[in-house]
Amino acid sequence: MRIMNDIAIKVENLGKLYRIGQTVGYKTLRESLMSVATTPLRRLRSTSHEPSAISHQSNYIWALKDVSFEVKRGEAVGIIGRNGSGKTTLLKILCRITAPTEGYAEIHGRVGSLLEVGTGFHPELTGRENVYLNGAVLGMKKAQVEHKFDEIVEFAGVEKFLDTPLKRYSSGMQVRLAFSIAAHLEPDILLVDEVLAVGDAEFQKKCLGKMDDVAKGGRTVLFVSHNMASVQNLCVRAILLESGQINMEGSVSAVIDKYLGSGAGKTGEVCWASPEVAPGDNRVRLKAVRVVSEGCVKGDVDISKEFCIEIDYWNLQADTQRVISIHLLNSVGTCLLTSANLPSASLTPDPWYDRPYPHGLFRTSCTIPGMFLNEGLHSISVFITGSFLQDVIIDIRDILTFNVQDTGMMRKEYTGTWIGAVRPQLDWRTVQLGEEN
């Protein structure tokens, strides 16, 4: 068989069918080690004979369907998509954690992966022993692992706990060690799911820097993330998954724009007809979220005009309190602001804050002033909690997308792109301090 020297990953008509409620069995450590191939080429083929015979049944679901793409050697590619779109399932197939139902994937090179906390670790072994275990799984000799050992430990920051069983590590410590091993043992291909959220901000920055070094060093990176800024900074190309299929593949900026603009709320409003089908539970159900400017629902907002974000919801549990909050994000997923109907966050008191809600339909709105946001796509995430902010009832990210446009005087004065997340009008003035000598 001919090996394509410039291709690191080739995926062809890949599909994964799950039975809803199915319990997935896991191999023992010995079985997993025996099954891992360390040859330059690994070909993952379908293990199912007749998937179409059962796929039409209601208790089966395609997590992936007809997925095909190629990643070149030395390329950094981002995989984005909403929860349930199939991103993690794709990486699990590429890492041989699960087998495809249809199609195949070819991996040309040694793979380092970081998917879930504890993946590739044995909890009874110490941190030190797990470093050597992972090296063996990657096909490295002990001397090769020893050469990188100090770098791995220093990067992970677990020096004091090296001889402690891994089951005693916190999830953050496990992630730090797992990432450090995967990145430092010089894999040809690095597959990373967004478990970096477990780490603190400083460690996340270190991870992104290390992945950038890996990519610039000519190795291949496949990066799954909800952080659009990280994807844009690290990757040269992106793939958008939607309901288990590829919706778009191309430049990072184009794919991110498609992702943020493809939500149900791209026309300025998303709504549900009844509580039975709406997000939430028996306490609160979300009815609608909309952007209103100049008295109309709009998906395009004039930069100079104020607009309201309206959130309608059914309160189904009487004599309880509700806190409504939002995240407002720009086109690369950076959170520009967080706000809520709390007294400390409101210009005027919300008359229903700290009052028991009866059964009924409510609307909570937030006003964003004109000349505040910069031009471009923005998205809204909505949260509804009880009186304690930790009691989250509704948590929906990127539920609504809208576009801020400048069609006024600024376009006559300057036609270029204004840099920055916000673009407020500030007080500027010039005075003469004295006559020139």
Side-chain angles (χ1 to χ4, degrees):
M1 179 176 58
R2 181 177 63 89
I3 296 178
M4 296 169 289
N5 293 324
D6 62 334
I7 299 297
I9 301 171
K10 179 178 175 63
V11 173
E12 192 72 31
N13 298 323
L14 204 63
K16 181 62 181 179
L17 184 69
Y18 284 113
R19 181 163 60 87
I20 299 173
Q22 177 182 11
T23 301
V24 179
Y26 289 91
K27 297 180 180 179
T28 66
L29 173 65
R30 183 175 183 276
E31 289 171 334
S32 296
L33 289 174
M34 293 296 290
S35 69
V36 173
T38 57
T39 55
L41 171 64
R42 294 190 294 162
R43 192 175 181 94
L44 317 177
R45 281 196 172 279
S46 164
T47 57
S48 177
H49 298 293
E50 295 182 4
S52 60
I54 56 173
S55 62
H56 67 281
Q57 298 180 21
S58 60
N59 59 333
Y60 286 85
I61 185 170
W62 284 100
L64 291 173
K65 184 66 174 175
D66 297 327
V67 172
S68 300
F69 63 90
E70 292 181 351
V71 179
K72 295 181 179 179
R73 294 187 186 278
E75 193 175 21
V77 177
I79 307 290
I80 64 176
R82 289 175 170 77
N83 291 340
S85 61
K87 305 183 300 296
T88 299
T89 298
L90 173 61
L91 288 196
K92 285 183 175 181
I93 291 175
L94 296 180
C95 291
R96 298 189 70 182
I97 293 174
T98 187
T101 307
E102 291 183 342
Y104 69 91
E106 292 179 3
I107 311 295
H108 298 268
R110 192 169 57 199
V111 175
S113 63
L114 183 61
L115 272 70
E116 299 168 339
V117 176
T119 299
F121 281 153
H122 193 289
E124 300 296 335
L125 299 181
T126 66
R128 184 187 306 275
E129 290 166 333
N130 271 288
V131 172
Y132 285 99
L133 171 64
N134 274 259
V137 169
L138 285 170
M140 300 183 73
K141 295 179 180 179
K142 184 179 180 181
Q144 293 175 293
V145 178
E146 288 177 343
H147 179 67
K148 292 286 185 179
F149 188 85
D150 290 342
E151 290 182 52
I152 292 170
V153 173
E154 182 182 359
F155 189 94
V158 295
E159 296 93 337
K160 296 180 180 179
F161 309 97
L162 271 179
D163 296 308
T164 301
L166 204 83
K167 63 184 179 182
R168 308 293 183 197
Y169 284 33
S170 68
S171 58
M173 290 168 64
Q174 290 188 38
V175 166
R176 293 202 302 272
L177 183 58
F179 181 88
S180 189
I181 292 170
H184 283 86
L185 291 185
E186 298 183 349
D188 301 306
I189 301 166
L190 183 61
L191 308 178
V192 183
D193 202 349
E194 199 172 40
V195 293
L196 302 182
V198 178
D200 57 32
E202 182 180 353
F203 185 73
Q204 290 178 36
K205 187 177 179 180
K206 283 176 64 177
C207 290
L208 291 170
K210 186 62 181 176
M211 283 192 286
D212 190 42
D213 291 343
V214 169
K216 288 178 179 177
R219 287 175 281 167
T220 305
V221 177
L222 205 60
F223 181 41
V224 166
S225 180
H226 288 97
N227 188 324
M228 298 300 107
S230 297
V231 173
Q232 190 166 61
N233 290 334
L234 179 68
C235 302
V236 297
R237 190 162 62 90
I239 295 171
L240 172 60
L241 286 180
E242 187 174 289
S243 302
Q245 297 183 303
I246 293 180
N247 179 284
M248 183 180 180
E249 180 179 357
S251 70
V252 172
S253 58
V255 173
I256 288 176
D257 284 350
K258 175 71 172 179
Y259 169 61
L260 293 177
S262 64
K266 63 183 178 181
T267 58
E269 181 177 36
V270 57
C271 55
W272 290 267
S274 68
E276 289 75 24
V277 297
D281 59 23
N282 57 3
R283 296 170 291 176
V284 174
R285 295 280 180 177
L286 189 62
K287 185 179 190 302
V289 181
R290 65 182 67 86
V291 171
V292 177
S293 181
E294 301 179 282
C296 301
V297 174
K298 292 187 176 182
D300 295 309
V301 175
D302 189 305
I303 196 171
S304 66
K305 308 295 184 183
E306 73 172 25
F307 65 92
C308 285
I309 299 171
E310 295 183 349
I311 302 165
D312 295 352
Y313 50 98
W314 290 281
N315 187 62
L316 305 176
Q317 186 181 52
D319 300 321
T320 53
Q321 297 172 13
R322 300 288 174 239
V323 176
I324 317 301
S325 59
I326 60 166
H327 290 173
L328 190 59
L329 300 91
N330 66 7
S331 61
V332 294
T334 301
C335 186
L336 306 182
L337 63 85
T338 298
S339 193
N341 65 332
L342 299 169
S344 60
S346 301
L347 288 174
T348 56
D350 184 340
W352 276 96
Y353 176 75
D354 210 24
R355 286 177 58 185
Y357 278 53
H359 283 278
L361 179 62
F362 289 81
R363 173 176 295 166
T364 300
S365 61
C366 170
T367 300
I368 307 296
M371 298 308 300
F372 176 66
L373 297 177
N374 204 349
E375 290 184 281
L377 280 171
H378 294 76
S379 66
I380 301 166
S381 298
V382 171
F383 309 86
I384 299 181
T385 69
S387 56
F388 297 100
L389 297 182
Q390 295 83 358
D391 180 25
V392 179
I393 303 170
I394 290 176
D395 175 346
I396 304 183
R397 311 298 173 101
D398 301 326
I399 187 174
L400 188 67
T401 302
F402 64 96
N403 189 45
V404 176
Q405 296 179 324
D406 182 6
T407 57
M409 179 61 69
M410 187 70 77
R411 276 284 159 251
K412 299 177 183 177
E413 297 171 337
Y414 179 69
T415 58
T417 300
W418 285 80
I419 305 300
V422 294
R423 211 179 85 185
Q425 285 182 318
L426 304 177
D427 186 17
W428 284 77
R429 64 184 65 193
T430 302
V431 297
Q432 184 175 359
L433 300 177
E435 294 184 6
E436 185 178 352
N437 290 330

